[in-house]
Amino acid sequence: MQVIQAKHAGACYGVQRALDMAMAVVERGGEVATLGPLIHNPKVVADLEARGARVAEAPADIHGGTVIIRSHGVTPEVRAELEERGLDIVDATCPHVARAQAAAAEIAGAGCRVMVVGEAGHPEVEGLTACAQAAGGKVDVVAAPADVPEGLYDPIGVVVQTTQVRDNLDAVVAALEEQGLSPIVKNTICSATSQRQRTAADVADRVDAMVVIGGRNSSNTTRLAEICAERCARTFHVESAGELAPEQFAGCAAVGVTAGASTPEDQIQAVVAFLEEL
């Protein structure tokens, strides 16, 4: 059975940067906490906890030492609260997320109503929303064109969660234009996300089964799984090789492997090794 890996898969620059920063803090010693899970990968988060970096749900849960801001970023209010508590802050916000936050604030500061294309409740989207509101903007969060409110008027600007699909952004913009609007669009989708989606789709078109590796709480991994499932009915979204069974690949001549942007290389290679042994 041939095992084909997607050309672009696994931990992106922002995630690897956050992991490297967290490991450096842990090795330094002392009391360490991440504000929320550092990345959306339960296995990585559990490993960090075992090394001494506990997960805190709110600033009030951190009473001293070092706090690591996760890759998804935080709201301006949360950052201010961390500073007020006198904590040693290590900012592991992905640079692409920081760029999206700046774009949201810029649009709002220019007097536009801000439309955030993304998942309501996702920590990155909450940060984008808060940055726009802090700059004086009214904000709408829409997951799809159907969520676009009626009765909007210019000026209006659009920013997008970095892990969204370009087609969804284009569809939301089209829905705004159908209302006669001329939105200012900031395409803040990360290039790493687009690369992973494109190469995963390419592999899924050529195999009998597809394995997508990454946290089930990871939005970009979930999208990869959806993209692959549209092209390959036998698609499996797993967090580790231990979730796979030989019978799932009965009769397969070729199996594809890809992974979300929060998936380290060792987790990918464990799945590849399992498949190559079949």
Side-chain angles (χ1 to χ4, degrees):
M1 185 178 72
Q2 184 182 16
V3 179
I4 304 173
Q5 288 184 247
K7 182 178 179 181
H8 297 285
C12 63
Y13 165 75
V15 165
Q16 192 59 54
R17 174 178 175 271
L19 288 172
D20 292 343
M21 293 173 74
M23 289 304 297
V25 172
V26 168
E27 289 172 4
R28 195 169 67 204
E31 186 176 349
V32 181
T34 64
L35 188 58
L38 182 72
I39 61 174
H40 281 158
N41 186 302
K43 190 173 185 298
V44 169
V45 171
D47 181 57
L48 282 172
E49 285 195 280
R51 293 171 182 265
R54 69 182 183 89
V55 178
E57 296 303 324
D61 299 329
I62 308 170
H63 305 290
T66 301
V67 57
I68 304 172
I69 294 177
R70 59 185 169 185
S71 58
H72 298 101
V74 295
T75 66
E77 293 82 3
V78 168
R79 184 182 293 272
E81 187 175 351
L82 293 173
E83 292 172 351
E84 288 170 5
R85 299 182 75 82
L87 300 167
D88 176 20
I89 301 172
V90 174
D91 189 354
T93 303
C94 171
H96 294 292
V97 173
R99 179 172 62 90
Q101 291 179 340
E106 177 188 346
I107 291 172
C112 293
R113 180 169 180 157
V114 180
M115 186 153 295
V116 178
V117 181
E119 301 171 32
H122 188 282
E124 181 188 333
V125 172
E126 290 179 345
L128 294 176
T129 300
C131 286
Q133 290 172 335
K138 177 175 174 56
V139 182
D140 300 289
V141 176
V142 300
D147 300 328
V148 175
E150 296 290 338
L152 298 174
Y153 50 86
D154 284 325
I156 190 166
V158 179
V159 293
V160 57
Q161 184 180 354
T162 58
T163 54
Q164 280 285 307
V165 179
R166 177 58 189 263
D167 288 348
N168 193 42
L169 170 61
D170 291 343
V172 169
V173 171
L176 291 170
E177 291 174 341
E178 286 173 4
Q179 292 191 34
L181 301 169
S182 300
I184 298 169
V185 181
K186 299 287 188 179
N187 178 6
T188 49
I189 296 175
C190 174
S191 60
T193 298
S194 300
Q195 288 175 335
R196 279 153 183 74
Q197 292 171 352
R198 185 172 61 253
T199 56
D202 176 66
V203 173
D205 282 333
R206 299 184 283 124
V207 296
D208 304 301
M210 194 78 190
V211 180
V212 182
I213 313 157
R216 290 185 175 82
N217 59 342
S218 165
S219 61
N220 76 82
T221 306
T222 299
R223 284 198 184 84
L224 280 181
E226 292 169 350
I227 289 168
C228 291
E230 290 172 358
R231 293 161 173 81
C232 179
R234 207 186 307 191
T235 291
F236 306 102
H237 179 181
V238 301
E239 292 187 351
S240 70
E243 297 177 38
L244 297 172
E247 56 268 22
Q248 292 173 307
F249 305 97
C252 290
V255 175
V257 176
T258 190
S262 297
T263 308
E265 184 64 21
D266 63 326
Q267 295 181 12
I268 299 173
Q269 291 310 311
V271 168
V272 169
F274 169 85
L275 294 172
E276 289 180 341
E277 289 176 2
L278 293 180

